[in-house]
C-alpha cells in the first residue's frame, strides 16, 4: 500500500514527524554526563561508589591545590608505590602527605614526609638490630661478649586498590614501630610518621583540584529518593573528572550533576546531568515518549518534584510500545544506527525471564517495580524482528528468542479454559486509590495484547525459522476471532478472563479489525470500521487551553476545530465519564484500518486531520496526542507531542504494511522467507 500518499504535504509531514522522533532521543539535552564505574546493584551498600563526569573543562572555576601534587593519577585499580611533589610549604621538615584509601571507610595507609628535593613518596624505612658475638682477632674464637649490629634500609610501600586521597598535614612526629623478628637474636622495626593536622581541600591542601560550582549528589531510590552524599568533582588530570563517596545505602543508585547558580538574589542548584548505576545513557539512547512543555505541572527535569509530589521524570520516560514503533520508523527510514543503539539498550534492559518492563527512564533504565505488559512487549519484539528482517543484522536474535519464548509461555493451553489459545497480560498492578504495587500475574487476556503480540509471534517465526512461533500465532489469531468478536455489536470486546470484558475501547475494534481482515472474514473487518465510526467519531473539537492542573495546556493551540476518534465509549459503565476528545493515535489507527479495506479517501481524511494537529500553534513537528488534557486517573491524556502518534503518522504515509502485517495461514510475511523449518526434534 506504499505510495498512497504521494503529495508533497504528506512527505513534509512524515519528515517533520521523523525529525521529531529523532530529537526525542535526547530530550533533556543535558550538557554534562555522569557515569558510574560499575553497575552497582540495588543491594550494594556500605562501600565506595565512584564514577566520572564528562562535559566539564579546565576553564570551569576550580579550587586548586596549593602545596602538593602527584606523579600521575593513581586510579581505583592501581596498587603499588605512590609519589609526588611539593612546593611553597614553609617549615617543610615538619610536614608530610597523608595517603588514604577509601572503601567502606577512609583508611589512612601511610604518612610520607616531604623530602628536601621537593618530592614525597610512599616508602618505609626499616631498622634491623642483630646481636652478634665479638670474635677475638688473634685467635678467631668468640670472646663470650656480644655487640649490636644495626642495618637500615628503605622499601617501597604499596598502596592498595581503592580511591586514593592525598592530603598535606603538619606537626610531623615519628616513632619506631617494632615488627616481628624473622631470625633469632634480631629486632625489627620500621619508622612510622604521623601528622594529624591536615590542611583542608578548601585551603588547597589536597593533591587535586575540584570544581567550585559543580557537585554530584548520589541518591538511593526505593519508595522515594534518599540523598546519600554530595560529592566533589575532582580534576585528576588528563581530562578525567572523578567523583566518589562511601556513604551509600541500599536502593537504586542515581547520580545527578548539580550546578550552583545565583538566581534572584539567592543560590540555586540546577540538575545538569543525570544517570543511574544499573543502566544509563552510555548503554544506548531511547526516545522520550512525550515532549512535555517546561511550564507543565507534569514536567520535571530531575525527578524530585512534579505536580508538587515526588515522582520520577515523565518527560524522560519511554514506553516499550514507543520503542517498538520507533524501531519500525527508523528501519523504514534507513536509520539503522539508531535501531542498533536502541536494540543494544533493550538487550541490556531485558529481564531474566525474557520480558521487558512497560516503561523505562531513558537516562536511568528500570526505575519502578516490575510492571510488565505483553502488548507493549509485542510491539517491541515486532520492531526488533522487522529491523532484523530488513537489515539482515542478526545481532539481536538471542534477545528476540528470549522475548518470543516468554510470550509463548503466556499462552493458555488448557482447552477447557475460556481463554484457551490467548495470551495473558503479564504481571504487576497498581492500586488506583493509593498507587500501591502488587507483583501478581495478570490472568486477563486483552484483545489489544493479542493484536500486538501476534505481530511479534509472526516476526519470531520469520527471524528464528521455528514453527512453534507460527503455530502459537495461528492459535492466537483463531481464538481472538472466536472468543472476542462481538457479532451483535459488530466489534471486538476489550478482553476475556473467566468471563468476557465487554468494555468499549477504540483500539480493540480497529486493531483487531485489521487482523480480522487476515483471519477468515472480510465482513468482520468492514463491520469494525463502521462501528468505530458510528461509536467513536467526534467532531468540532478545539485544542483546549487551561491552567488547571488536571487539564493543563498553555503550549498548544489552534483557531480551528478537529474531527477524529475518541478512545472510549460509555455504552457500558466501564468508561463512564470518558473524555470526549480527538485522540490522534486512535484516529490514525482508524485510518490504518480504512487503508487495509481499500478506503483510501476515508483514510486520507483522518490522516489530514492529524497533520493539522501536527501543524498546530506551538508544535515542534510532533503530532499532539489529544486535543484536551485529562491528567487525572484513570484517563491520563495530555496535549503533548507524542512519539506514538508521530510514528503512526510516519508509517501510514511511508510503510502502512508494517502495521499489523497481514499474514494468512502458512503464508509468510511478504513472501520474503518461504523456508521456515521446525527446529525441534522430529515428531515434536
Amino acid at each position: 500500500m506504499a505510495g498512497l500518499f504521494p503529495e508533497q504535504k504528506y512527505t513534509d509531514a512524515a519528515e517533520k514527524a521523523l525529525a521529531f522522533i529523532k530529537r526525542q532521543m535526547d530530550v533533556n539535552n543535558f550538557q554534562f554526563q555522569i557515569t558510574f564505574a560499575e553497575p552497582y546493584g540495588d543491594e550494594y551498600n556500605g562501600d565506595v561508589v565512584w564514577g566520572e563526569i564528562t562535559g566539564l573543562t579546565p576553564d570551569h572555576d576550580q579550587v586548586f591545590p596549593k602545596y602538593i601534587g602527584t606523579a600521575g593519577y593513581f586510579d581505583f585499580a592501581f596498587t603499588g608505590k605512590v609519589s609526588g611533589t611539593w612546593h611553597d610549604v614553609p617549615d617543610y621538615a615538619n610536614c608530610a602527605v597523608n595517603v588514604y584509601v577509601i572503601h567502606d571507610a577512609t583508611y589512612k595507609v601511610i604518612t610520607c614526609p616531604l623530602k628536601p628535593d621537593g618530592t614525597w613518596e610512599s616508602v618505609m624505612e626499616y631498622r634491623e638490630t642483630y646481636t652478634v658475638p665479638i670474635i677475638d682477632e688473634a685467635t678467631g674464637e668468640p670472646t663470650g661478649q656480644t655487640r649490636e649490629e644495626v642495618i637500615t634500609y628503605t622499601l617501597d610501600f604499596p598502596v592498595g586498590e581503592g580511591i586514593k586521597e592525598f592530603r598535606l598535614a603538619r606537626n610531623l612526629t615519628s616513632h619506631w614501630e617494632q615488627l616481628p623478628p624473622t631470625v633469632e637474636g634480631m629486632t625489627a622495626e620500621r619508622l612510622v610518621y604521623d601528622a594529624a593536622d591536615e590542611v583542608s581541600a578548601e585551603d588547597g591542601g589536597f593533591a587535586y583540584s575540584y570544581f567550585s560550582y559543580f557537585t554530584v549528589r548520589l541518591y538511593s531510590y526505593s519508595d522515594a529518593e534518599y540523598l546519600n552524599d554530595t560529592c566533589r568533582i575532582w580534576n585528576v588530570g588528563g581530562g578525567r573528572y572523578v567523583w566518589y563517596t562511601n556513604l551509600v545505602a541500599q536502593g537504586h543508585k542515581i547520580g545527578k550533576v548539580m550546578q550552583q547558580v545565583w538566581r534572584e538574589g539567592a543560590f540555586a542548584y540546577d540538575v545538569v546531568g543525570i544517570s543511574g548505576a544499573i543502566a544509563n545513557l552510555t548503554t544506548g539512547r531511547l526516545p522520550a515518549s512525550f515532549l512535555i512543555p517546561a511550564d507543565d505541572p507534569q514536567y520535571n527535569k530531575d525527578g524530585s518534584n512534579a505536580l508538587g509530589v515526588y515522582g520520577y521524570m515523565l518527560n524522560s520516560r519511554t514506553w516499550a510500545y514507543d520503542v517498538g514503533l520507533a524501531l519500525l520508523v527508523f528501519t523504514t527510514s534507513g536509520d539503522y544506527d539508531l535501531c542498533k543503539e536502541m536494540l543494544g539498550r533493550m538487550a541490556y534492559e531485558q529481564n531474566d525471564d525474557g520480558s521487558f518492563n512497560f516503561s523505562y527512564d531513558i537516562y536511568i533504565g528500570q526505575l519502578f517495580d516490575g510492571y510488565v505488559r505483553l502488548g507493549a512487549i509485542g510491539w517491541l519484539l515486532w520492531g526488533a524482528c522487522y529491523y532484523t528482517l530488513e537489515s539482515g543484522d542478526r545481532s539481536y536474535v538471542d534477545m528476540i528468542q528470549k522475548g518470543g519464548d516468554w510470550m509463548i509461555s503466556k499462552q493458555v493451553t488448557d482447552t477447557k479454559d475460556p481463554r484457551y489459545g490467548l495470551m495473558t497480560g503479564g504481571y504487576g498492578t497498581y492500586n488506583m486509590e493509593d498507587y500501591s504495587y502488587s507483583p501478581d500475574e495478570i490472568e486477563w487476556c486483552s484483545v489489544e495484547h493479542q493484536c500486538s503480540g501476534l505481530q511479534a509471534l509472526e516476526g519470531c517465526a520469520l527471524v528464528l525459522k521455528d514453527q512453534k512461533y507460527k503455530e502459537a500465532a495461528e492459535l492466537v489469531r483463531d481464538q481472538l476471532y472466536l472468543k472476542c468478536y462481538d457479532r451483535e455489536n459488530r466489534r471486538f470486546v476489550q478482553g476475556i478472563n473467566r468471563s468476557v470484558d465487554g468494555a468499549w475501547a477504540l483500539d480493540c475494534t480497529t486493531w483487531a479489525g485489521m487482523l480480522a481482515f487476515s483471519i477468515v472474514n472480510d465482513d468482520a473487518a468492514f463491520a469494525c470500521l463502521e462501528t468505530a465510526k458510528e461509536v467513536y467519531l467526534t467532531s468540532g473539537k478545539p485544542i483546549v487551553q487551561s491552567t488547571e492542573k488536571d487539564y493543563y495546556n498553555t503550549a498548544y493551540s489552534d483557531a480551528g476545530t478537529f474531527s477524529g476518534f475518541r478512545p472510549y465509549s460509555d455504552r457500558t459503565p466501564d468508561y463512564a465519564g470518558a473524555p470526549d476528545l480527538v485522540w490522534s493515535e486512535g484516529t490514525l489507527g482508524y485510518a490504518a484500518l480504512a487503508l487495509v479495506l481499500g478506503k483510501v479517501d476515508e483514510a486520507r481524511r483522518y490522516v489530514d486531520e492529524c497533520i493539522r494537529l501536527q501543524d498546530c500553534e506551538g508544535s515542534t513537528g510532533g503530532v499532539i496526542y489529544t486535543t484536551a488534557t485529562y491528567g487525572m486517573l484513570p484517563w491520563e491524556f495530555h496535549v503533548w507531542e507524542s512519539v506514538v502518534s508521530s510514528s503512526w503518522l510516519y508509517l501510514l504515509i511511508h510503510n502502512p504494511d508494517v502495521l499489523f502485517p497481514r499474514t494468512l495461514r502458512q503464508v509468510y510475511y511478504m513472501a520474503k522467507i518461504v523456508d521456515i523449518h521446525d527446529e525441534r526434534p522430529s515428531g515434536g
Side-chain angles (χ1 to χ4, degrees):
M1 290 189 297
L4 296 178
F5 298 93
E7 293 90 339
Q8 188 63 41
K9 75 170 184 177
Y10 297 111
T11 301
D12 292 345
E15 290 307 304
K16 285 193 293 185
L18 177 63
F20 167 76
I21 300 165
K22 288 182 177 180
R23 289 196 302 274
Q24 289 300 100
M25 295 287 285
D26 192 14
V27 66
N28 275 342
N29 296 312
F30 285 122
Q31 179 181 355
F32 304 97
Q33 289 78 48
I34 177 172
T35 59
F36 286 75
E38 59 182 270
Y40 302 99
D42 289 2
E43 300 303 314
Y44 184 91
N45 71 99
D47 207 334
V48 70
V49 165
W50 71 282
E52 299 192 34
I53 306 297
T54 57
L56 289 165
T57 72
D59 295 331
H60 288 103
D61 290 340
Q62 298 173 59
V63 175
F64 291 96
K66 295 180 179 179
Y67 307 108
I68 61 173
T70 62
Y73 175 49
F74 302 102
D75 65 16
F76 184 92
F78 175 86
T79 58
K81 176 184 176 181
V82 295
S83 61
T85 59
W86 64 269
H87 56 87
D88 299 328
V89 180
D91 191 21
Y92 77 88
N94 192 37
C95 298
V97 173
N98 283 338
V99 180
Y100 291 85
V101 170
I102 300 172
H103 263 294
D104 59 320
T106 301
Y107 299 97
K108 185 168 77 170
V109 294
I110 189 172
T111 296
C112 308
L114 304 186
K115 299 167 65 176
D117 64 356
T119 65
W120 61 268
E121 57 184 350
S122 66
V123 297
M124 193 73 73
E125 183 176 348
Y126 294 88
R127 181 171 70 186
E128 295 177 359
T129 303
Y130 297 88
T131 300
V132 297
I134 298 175
I135 304 299
D136 187 300
E137 292 182 358
T139 66
E141 297 294 329
T143 64
Q145 298 177 313
T146 60
R147 63 179 175 82
E148 289 188 342
E149 183 175 307
V150 180
I151 300 174
T152 61
Y153 57 91
T154 59
L155 294 175
D156 293 345
F157 185 89
V159 174
E161 181 183 81
I163 296 291
K164 285 81 170 173
E165 274 189 357
F166 308 95
R167 311 176 189 175
L168 178 68
R170 300 188 176 101
N171 299 321
L172 184 67
T173 61
S174 65
H175 67 277
W176 287 99
E177 178 184 79
Q178 190 166 342
L179 300 173
T182 57
V183 296
E184 185 177 351
M186 167 193 166
T187 300
E189 300 167 290
R190 64 180 177 184
L191 185 58
V192 178
Y193 294 91
D194 184 61
D197 184 14
E198 296 180 342
V199 181
S200 68
E202 293 88 343
D203 292 331
F206 283 38
Y208 303 122
S209 63
Y210 66 91
F211 289 91
S212 304
Y213 303 114
F214 294 90
T215 55
V216 167
R217 290 181 183 173
L218 179 71
Y219 295 85
S220 293
Y221 174 88
S222 51
D223 58 329
E225 280 183 340
Y226 297 95
L227 179 63
N228 293 175
D229 199 7
T230 298
C231 315
R232 291 189 175 109
I233 302 172
W234 299 93
N235 182 353
V236 298
R240 298 185 69 179
Y241 308 115
V242 174
W243 62 273
Y244 55 86
T245 180
N246 58 7
L247 302 178
V248 181
Q250 289 188 2
H252 202 89
K253 313 300 184 289
I254 298 170
K256 301 179 184 180
V257 185
M258 311 297 298
Q259 182 178 13
Q260 177 183 297
V261 295
W262 183 261
R263 184 183 298 125
E264 298 178 354
F267 283 114
Y269 295 88
D270 294 341
V271 177
V272 292
I274 190 167
S275 182
I278 294 299
N280 54 51
L281 193 59
T282 60
T283 314
R285 293 175 300 162
L286 299 172
S289 292
F290 294 104
L291 178 61
I292 304 178
D295 73 330
D296 196 289
Q298 289 275 21
Y299 180 85
N300 187 5
K301 195 164 186 177
D302 71 344
S304 61
N305 184 28
L307 292 174
V309 178
Y310 177 82
Y312 236 75
M313 35 193 186
L314 197 60
N315 40 289
S316 63
R317 185 94 60 84
T318 190
W319 276 259
Y321 168 38
D322 302 48
V323 176
L325 279 169
L327 286 168
L328 296 175
V329 167
F330 292 147
T331 301
T332 300
S333 67
D335 290 298
Y336 288 172
D337 286 345
L338 291 177
C339 294
K340 290 175 69 69
E341 188 174 353
M342 290 192 295
L343 287 167
R345 172 70 175 269
M346 296 313 296
Y348 186 88
E349 299 283 5
Q350 189 170 27
N351 297 324
D352 290 341
D353 63 0
S355 67
F356 295 88
N357 276 50
F358 191 60
S359 69
Y360 297 91
D361 183 275
I362 62 177
Y363 295 98
I364 296 168
Q366 181 178 341
L367 188 62
F368 300 97
D369 299 296
Y371 187 88
V372 169
R373 289 295 179 270
L374 185 138
I377 294 170
W379 279 100
L380 174 59
L381 286 180
W382 171 229
C385 288
Y386 185 67
Y387 164 78
T388 302
L389 292 168
E390 290 293 310
S391 69
D393 176 9
R394 297 186 62 81
S395 303
Y396 309 101
V397 165
D398 288 346
M399 181 192 81
I400 291 169
Q401 182 170 4
K402 286 173 62 179
D405 289 349
W406 180 84
M407 295 190 74
I408 287 180
S409 76
K410 297 302 171 185
Q411 191 165 37
V412 178
T413 57
D414 182 358
T415 57
K416 297 179 181 178
D417 192 306
R419 305 166 300 165
Y420 169 67
L422 302 178
M423 297 178 287
T424 57
Y427 55 86
T429 57
Y430 288 97
N431 186 310
M432 288 297 101
E433 294 181 2
D434 61 3
Y435 225 58
S436 58
Y437 171 76
S438 169
D440 296 342
E441 289 280 335
I442 306 300
E443 295 185 351
W444 179 53
C445 295
S446 158
V447 165
E448 180 267 307
H449 289 180
Q450 310 313 306
C451 297
S452 306
L454 184 55
Q455 300 178 105
L457 291 174
E458 293 282 5
C460 287
L462 297 168
V463 169
L464 303 172
K465 301 183 180 180
D466 190 332
Q467 188 173 321
K468 68 178 182 181
Y469 302 105
K470 184 63 179 176
E471 291 171 351
E474 289 177 353
L475 184 57
V476 169
R477 185 170 22 246
D478 286 349
Q479 297 303 310
L480 174 65
Y481 181 74
L482 293 172
K483 302 283 179 60
C484 299
Y485 183 60
D486 178 359
R487 290 170 177 78
E488 179 181 353
N489 292 298
R490 297 161 56 81
R491 55 115 192 192
F492 281 81
V493 297
Q494 184 167 251
I496 184 171
N497 195 348
R498 301 302 173 183
S499 59
V500 170
D501 176 357
W504 288 71
L506 172 64
D507 52 5
C508 294
T509 295
T510 53
W511 289 13
M514 282 182 261
L515 292 173
F517 187 74
S518 68
I519 300 172
V520 292
N521 195 331
D522 290 358
D523 292 340
F526 280 102
C528 286
L529 186 74
E530 293 166 4
T531 300
K533 192 165 188 177
E534 174 191 342
V535 175
Y536 299 98
L537 179 63
T538 188
S539 60
K541 295 297 180 288
I543 297 176
V544 178
Q545 290 202 310
S546 173
T547 57
E548 291 186 50
K549 182 182 72 173
D550 287 337
Y551 305 95
Y552 197 91
N553 168 41
T554 63
Y556 302 100
S557 62
D558 195 275
T561 60
F562 298 85
S563 296
F565 291 79
R566 53 178 169 253
Y568 304 114
S569 169
D570 58 4
R571 290 196 173 191
T572 60
D574 306 271
Y575 291 120
D580 184 14
L581 46 75
V582 174
W583 175 37
S584 57
E585 177 193 355
T587 300
L588 291 164
Y590 173 87
L593 176 57
L595 276 185
V596 164
L597 298 175
K599 294 185 172 293
V600 177
D601 289 342
E602 181 78 353
R604 289 163 71 99
R605 177 178 297 113
Y606 294 105
V607 169
D608 288 349
E609 288 293 296
C610 289
I611 291 175
R612 290 183 59 221
L613 290 173
Q614 181 188 36
D615 291 338
C616 72
E617 186 69 28
S619 172
T620 68
V623 181
I624 62 172
Y625 197 58
T626 57
T627 53
T629 294
Y630 283 75
M632 72 293 286
L633 292 170
W635 313 120
E636 296 187 287
F637 290 107
H638 293 274
V639 188
W640 299 333
E641 291 168 75
S642 157
V643 165
V644 161
S645 299
S646 302
S647 297
W648 273 86
L649 179 64
Y650 180 90
L651 292 169
L652 275 174
I653 293 170
H654 281 311
N655 192 8
D657 291 328
V658 82
L659 296 164
F660 303 106
R662 291 178 300 289
T663 52
L664 303 177
R665 282 189 181 280
Q666 304 303 329
V667 179
Y668 301 107
Y669 173 63
M670 295 182 182
K672 289 186 67 171
I673 297 178
V674 296
D675 57 339
I676 294 182
H677 303 293
D678 187 344
E679 295 182 353
R680 294 168 293 172
S682 61

